[in-house]
Amino acid sequence: MKRRGHRPSQAPGNRPRIWGRHPVLAALANPERTVRKMWATREALAGLDIPPVIPITFADVADLGRLVPNDAPHQGLVIEVDPLEDIWLGDLLEQGAGEGDERPLLVLDQVTDPHNVGAILRSAAAFDALGIVTQDRHSPPESGALARSASGALEIVPWVRVVNLSRALEEIAEANFWRIGLAGEATDTLATAIGKARVALVLGAEGEGMRHNTMQHCDQLAKLPISARMESLNVSNAAAIALYAVAARG
């Protein structure tokens, strides 16, 4: 199998920091995640079983606030981690090739805001998506802000970064996914476009939407039936609604 969708690893000097009780505990529970350091208050560590190989520095709340941007809500826990290992698109598609596997795939076209990507990861976990696919140069890196928005989902939802999104969509089609691009100008609604096939939902950045070439690599364009009083939805909200629609199809 030809592997595509290599996700370049970050240099060790660019290790992200993750903060907040839920994201930190999810990272500690992920066997694929390497935690290099931990800073914590004694109160936050009470009752937690931290592996002895992880060096812990006890700190007060003010000291921890200086380790995160803009005094982010760290809840007494901050860790420094290695980025997760590369995931290949071909491997992810093979995982979902089993008989009866109807998990949808999410493809994000130049969605760069870490809060939006984190929220989409959270929805992907909630609705048991196969994973998300983004373009490497036009998506956020792992970060504390993204992990916080994902509320633990960064550790459990496979995330593939690809060099060329159009080629990735071709490979997704070869794996028998029906590629539905969400676009406000579409005539079909998502409910009529879903059908019975395995679905890859393609979403573009807020404001600009999907690029033309990305649209050309979708099998169908569809819209969410929102009120004419609103031009569009936040991309993370649109992803959550679309995932629910796929999960609830008859």
Side-chain angles (χ1 to χ4, degrees), residues 184-209:
E185 64 270 26
T187 55
D188 295 326
T189 64
L190 180 60
T192 60
I194 289 174
K196 298 294 183 182
R198 299 199 65 195
V199 172
L201 299 166
V202 188
L203 296 94
E206 287 186 64
E208 297 177 2

Side-chain angles (χ1 to χ4, degrees), residues 105 107 109 169 178-190 193-194 199-204 209-211 214-224 242:
L105 190 62
V107 181
D109 184 19
L169 284 165
W178 185 250
R179 303 162 299 178
I180 302 175
L182 292 186
E185 64 270 26
T187 55
D188 295 326
T189 64
L190 180 60
I194 289 174
V199 172
L201 299 166
V202 188
L203 296 94
M210 281 183 293
R211 291 169 297 165
T214 303
M215 285 188 180
Q216 294 295 106
H217 284 82
C218 292
D219 298 297
Q220 189 172 2
L221 299 181
K223 63 182 178 180
L224 298 176

Side-chain angles (χ1 to χ4, degrees), residues 5 15 62 91 111 170 176 182 211 241:
R15 290 186 182 128
D91 291 344
V111 179
E170 291 173 2
N176 297 317
L182 292 186
R211 291 169 297 165
I241 293 168

